Amino acid sequence: MKPLQLLTLFLLLAAHAAQAQLTVSQLRCEHLENPVGLDAPAPYLSWQLTAARRNTLQTAYEIRVAGSPEALLKGRKLLWASGKVNSPVSAGVPYGGPALESGQRCFWQVRVWDSHGQVSPWSEPARWQMALLNPQDWKAVWIQPGYAEPAGRPSPMFRTEFQLAKPVRSATLYVTARGLYEAQLNGTRAGDAYLTPGWTAYQHRLAYQTYEVASLLRKGPNAIGVMLGNGWHRGYVGFQDKNDNYGSDISLLLQLEITFTDGSKQLVLSGPGWKSATGEILGSELYNGETQDARLIRQGWSLPGYNDADWSGVQTASFPGQLLVASSNEPIRKQETFAPLRIFKTPAGEQVIDFGQNLVGWVVMQAQGKAGDRITLSHAEVLDKAGNFYTENLRAAKSQDVFILSGSGTETFEPKFTFHGFRYVKVEGYPGELKPESFQAVALYSDMRPTGSFECSNPLLNQLQHNIQWGQKGNFLDVPTDCPQRDERLGWTGDAQVFAATAAYNMDVYAFFAKWLRDLAADQRADGAVPFVVPNVLGTNAMASAGWADAATIIPWNIYVAFGDARMLEQQYASMKAWVEYMRSKSTNHLWNTGFHFGDWLFYRPADDNDGRAAVTDKYLIAQCFYAYSTQLLIKTAAVLGKTGEAEAYSKLLEDIRAAFLREYVTPSGRLVSGTQTAYVLALQFDMLPEDLRAQAAARLADNIRSYSTHLTTGFLGTPYLCHVLTRFGYADLAYELLLQDSYPSWLYPVKMGATTIWERWDGQKPDSSFQTPGMNSFNHYAYGAIGEWMYRAVAGISPDEAEPGYRRIRIRPLPGGKLSYAGGELLSPYGKIRSKWSAEGGRYRLEVEIPANTQASIWIPAPEGAAVLESGLPVGGVRELAVKGREDQALRVDAGSGTYVFTW
């Protein structure tokens, strides 16, 4: 080969290798992976770049969408071809083709150009499918059991059979219930979602699910079977032993749309002609558990050819069609499984299984015995001081599953329409010896993608992070509940708002919160008052507590900052504004000092308060702070949405709110009328004080903490901001002392006591192993887990930049301390993986940073002035991809593009 030919070949190979270094992956539609059942008219499309070269930015993209995988890969008969679009946007490009139709399947891929002149290959294809976009697309009618309902409300079963004369190309099942449902086609479960249709504000919005089910159908006879449970619709939910919150009926709506290979279609609809009966589930309640009698199983009931001659018909019903909405968030799915850690007998003689982790879900059990043998599984979070099974903190919730054997060999049991919060299970009536292989605990939670991790050299902090994440898993069960075990399990708005920012680090919670916030707006009263719980089952007067109702403003803003999708703000703006206007309407001279408020819930109260050390904070001082904060967030939101006039008007209101705070709650010398940690934390966090009073207020906060022997005294509303405020005003060392404190009250005290989730109370279990008041003592309650945000932001050093949200611009600013030898975190942002890890040994420091493609970062290197800072062995000033910005607050700031960097000093 001639030299010129060799050179040409070399250049071609080099060009191919360079192109291969730029790839596109992680395609998402509406923040979901390959979603089925969307009702967004122009779905948002997102992707991530992977590039070997540093400082890589997207300069253009091209999207193509087709109706089949074959057409997509050939690039022909496309639904939409964007052409090359010069844009850096890779998170949130709306579909721009012709209007989409109900049930339409779309296949898409993308390629990009970068700032180095490279073009990527086309990505692997992704897909989405539309739901039913118009109420008139529903041809099915609601059906109810045709028999007189027996006592105990056993689960109804519905079935029908149908013939398919031709081969099936595609089939879509749309289904929902007033209650809970499990659908089967030809004996096989449709989908892997549980506790469907989930919990929404049913009187306003009822979700339905969409399943692709062609693989479950066959030519010839087919059958559908659906079983229902009471669920949130008519089961016991809330307080005062109340059921039928949304109605006493239990009903099914189902529509199966089949397309044959010749293009013709067939519908199978719920309606007259279906059959109904009861089966093995004698009763199911979310709080009390489920009872199954295997002697009553109707074998083959969802198969064609089953003899249903003894079944009843059905009744049809009519409910408003406009209430139906397509599910927009991840369903509840089975997640981790746990084998028994130990099986033991308590001092009281109880047979108990310890699964080693406080989780939410249920137990799958195998047993072999005589027909009629009755096995009861009771669930508990903790053992008492003597080591006995403890359920007093469950209050009225029985939390028991009862299984009655048929006597037909080895039988497997698991619930369908309930869930439990537990670590321990008491087993009664089991025939034979309890063996580990016969029991398995299954965790259930909304199937959100894990995104964040934190690790450091202190094993107690690592366990704290574990507990925070498992508190989130157990309580993110379609709605953000306060607790998963007792007779409550409600979407308390205060708990959700204090934890939302931490939640957005641990998991991709965009779709989860977008769905729940729609229900918040739907349940919001006409005057703007926001309920204590969402969905609201406590009544129209359970409203408008400061710090709880502010979920209406705080969560949308936090989610927008974390994910960068301004549609969250567009969706919630009217709700945000209505809540601020409610507070204004209840104020006199801009002072909101009326109404009921929970205040700084579960703040520190010593058992013996002879010296007045209980940390009581004036509830109206708290209310004024949140009034200001919600107004500030409304101003920011109005600015993002281009509502300049409203931003200016609310800016004037904010000035008046802060002035009223100063008049009412601050002495001329700058002391607050409540001298608690929470009072100073909120006043400083929300900028309620003028600049010249902030330093002395922060000093008073620090002195207060030290006066309690370096312990926090904050409750639900003060705790989330405590370490942030200390760090902001130069007391990071004190924040670390609080974080590492391991005696009551502290974050690590429950860890030292063996907790595997976050407790509701700082002292849920006391040092002598006795318990706090059983009337309110959950051992799985994520609110105090809000410290997780500070661990990610300050200890690991990863945070978003509000000016370029969604981690389009990243802030890396770790604060080494706490005698840690290393700490770090990772976050799968909308643009890819962010990593920050620092280590310290013998006076030498190392900071490893990873920045994903198509983003930029500001990095604060915590090196002392005069230190020689190197990046990969070179002085930072000589590294081409870094821009040294100088020293800021005892750190060296450098700006960087994408890539991996290793700083040492």
Side-chain angles (χ1 to χ4, degrees), residues 84-245:
K84 183 178 180 181
V85 179
N86 294 321
S87 169
V89 176
S90 60
V93 175
Y95 164 80
L100 297 168
E101 299 176 355
S102 293
Q104 187 169 358
R105 289 172 166 83
C106 298
F107 301 83
W108 70 287
Q109 56 187 169
V110 61
R111 63 176 175 175
V112 302
W113 287 257
D114 73 8
S115 51
H116 306 297
Q118 300 179 92
V119 58
S120 75
W122 285 103
S123 69
E124 290 296 316
R127 58 188 170 84
W128 80 83
Q129 183 176 339
M130 302 305 291
L132 299 176
L133 303 182
N134 304 293
Q136 58 267 30
D137 292 329
W138 280 99
K139 308 301 181 185
V141 298
W142 287 95
I143 57 173
Q144 299 172 342
Y147 53 81
E149 185 170 58
R153 291 180 164 179
S155 285
M157 305 162 71
F158 299 92
R159 74 178 309 273
T160 193
E161 295 191 19
F162 57 97
Q163 292 282 334
L164 297 180
K166 294 177 276 191
V168 173
R169 184 175 73 197
S170 64
T172 302
L173 178 69
Y174 306 97
V175 60
T176 189
R178 290 166 64 88
L180 302 177
Y181 73 84
E182 179 182 287
Q184 299 180 17
L185 276 77
N186 294 326
T188 299
R189 198 177 194 279
D192 57 359
Y194 289 82
L195 301 177
T196 46
W199 191 12
T200 52
Y202 290 141
Q203 73 275 34
H204 304 293
R205 296 165 13 90
L206 175 60
Y208 64 90
Q209 284 71 47
T210 307
Y211 305 96
E212 294 179 308
V213 294
S215 63
L216 304 183
L217 300 176
R218 58 197 180 211
K219 188 176 178 181
N222 291 262
I224 298 176
V226 184
M227 185 179 288
L228 303 187
N230 295 329
W232 295 280
H233 174 70
R234 71 170 191 175
Y236 289 92
V237 178
F239 307 128
Q240 290 85 44
D241 201 29
K242 187 176 185 297
N243 65 354
D244 294 351
N245 281 282

Side-chain angles (χ1 to χ4, degrees), residues 409-442:
T410 300
E411 303 177 63
T412 300
F413 294 88
E414 71 174 307
K416 291 182 185 292
F417 302 124
T418 190
F419 64 90
H420 308 284
F422 67 98
R423 171 176 172 171
Y424 300 94
V425 171
K426 180 174 68 174
V427 185
E428 298 173 283
Y430 191 85
E433 179 187 357
L434 301 186
K435 296 182 179 180
E437 58 268 25
S438 298
F439 298 87
Q440 182 185 69
V442 180

Side-chain angles (χ1 to χ4, degrees), residues 273-330:
W274 283 55
K275 292 290 194 75
S276 63
T278 59
E280 72 271 21
I281 298 184
L282 303 182
S284 66
E285 290 289 345
L286 297 177
Y287 294 168
N288 295 331
E290 189 165 292
T291 298
Q292 295 183 11
D293 188 340
R295 297 171 299 181
L296 302 178
I297 292 175
R298 296 179 179 270
Q299 298 290 351
W301 68 281
S302 61
L303 291 171
Y306 172 80
N307 183 2
D308 59 12
D310 63 337
W311 286 46
S312 302
V314 296
Q315 302 179 62
T316 60
S318 178
F319 302 110
Q322 66 268 24
L323 297 182
L324 295 174
V325 296
S327 276
S328 58
N329 59 308
E330 300 89 346

Side-chain angles (χ1 to χ4, degrees), residues 568-834:
M568 171 65 75
L569 302 181
E570 294 169 358
Q571 171 188 302
Q572 297 301 129
Y573 185 76
S575 168
M576 299 169 76
K577 181 178 177 180
W579 169 237
V580 170
E581 289 298 335
Y582 174 88
M583 291 185 281
R584 194 208 298 246
S585 74
K586 298 301 179 183
S587 303
T588 302
N589 295 325
H590 305 291
L591 187 69
W592 184 28
N593 58 357
T594 59
F596 169 83
H597 301 282
F598 289 107
D600 193 29
W601 189 248
L602 298 183
F603 58 86
Y604 172 68
R605 300 184 188 188
D608 184 0
D609 194 24
N610 292 330
D611 61 350
R613 299 295 283 167
V616 183
T617 309
D618 186 295
K619 291 185 179 182
Y620 294 131
L621 180 154
I622 293 173
Q624 193 72 6
C625 288
F626 277 94
Y627 182 16
Y629 187 41
S630 280
T631 304
Q632 176 66 76
L633 295 180
L634 186 61
I635 294 165
K636 291 182 177 181
T637 299
V640 170
L641 300 180
K643 300 178 183 291
T644 306
E646 294 199 2
E648 292 173 354
Y650 284 111
S651 295
K652 176 61 171 66
L653 174 62
L654 180 59
E655 292 176 9
D656 293 336
I657 295 169
R658 287 173 172 161
F661 178 86
L662 288 173
R663 290 194 305 268
E664 187 76 7
Y665 300 113
V666 185
T667 69
S669 65
R671 185 181 297 274
L672 298 180
V673 296
S674 287
T676 62
Q677 293 174 23
T678 289
Y680 281 101
V681 163
L682 296 181
L684 290 167
Q685 176 71 20
F686 301 153
D687 297 329
M688 303 302 289
L689 302 172
E691 289 278 1
D692 62 339
L693 293 181
R694 294 178 186 177
Q696 58 86 23
R700 285 192 169 113
L701 170 62
D703 289 343
N704 182 293
I705 292 168
R706 296 188 187 103
S707 77
Y708 285 90
S709 303
T710 316
H711 283 81
L712 52 76
T713 63
T714 50
F716 275 29
L717 297 184
T719 300
Y721 306 111
L722 178 57
C723 288
H724 294 285
V725 167
L726 290 171
T727 303
R728 174 183 169 187
F729 288 97
Y731 295 95
D733 289 346
L734 187 56
Y736 263 112
E737 287 185 56
L738 285 179
L739 178 65
L740 296 171
Q741 178 64 256
D742 61 8
S743 59
Y744 164 76
S746 68
W747 287 287
L748 293 186
Y749 168 72
V751 173
K752 295 268 286 197
M753 294 294 288
T756 61
T757 43
I758 299 297
W759 292 356
E760 179 177 21
R761 294 176 175 270
W762 293 120
D763 60 341
Q765 190 166 21
K766 299 177 181 179
D768 66 356
S769 293
S770 64
F771 294 119
Q772 255 286 1
T773 171
M776 190 172 61
N777 195 24
S778 161
F779 293 95
N780 192 351
H781 221 92
Y782 53 61
Y784 287 139
I787 185 60
E789 182 192 11
W790 190 79
M791 292 162 65
Y792 278 109
R793 281 179 176 259
V795 183
I798 301 172
S799 60
D801 188 327
E802 285 190 5
E804 297 187 55
Y807 295 93
R808 172 75 174 158
R809 173 166 284 277
I810 302 157
R811 296 169 63 89
I812 302 291
R813 189 167 194 169
L815 295 173
K819 298 181 180 179
L820 300 178
S821 60
Y822 73 87
E826 291 187 1
L827 177 65
L828 294 177
S829 76
Y831 295 91
K833 185 171 76 172
I834 303 166

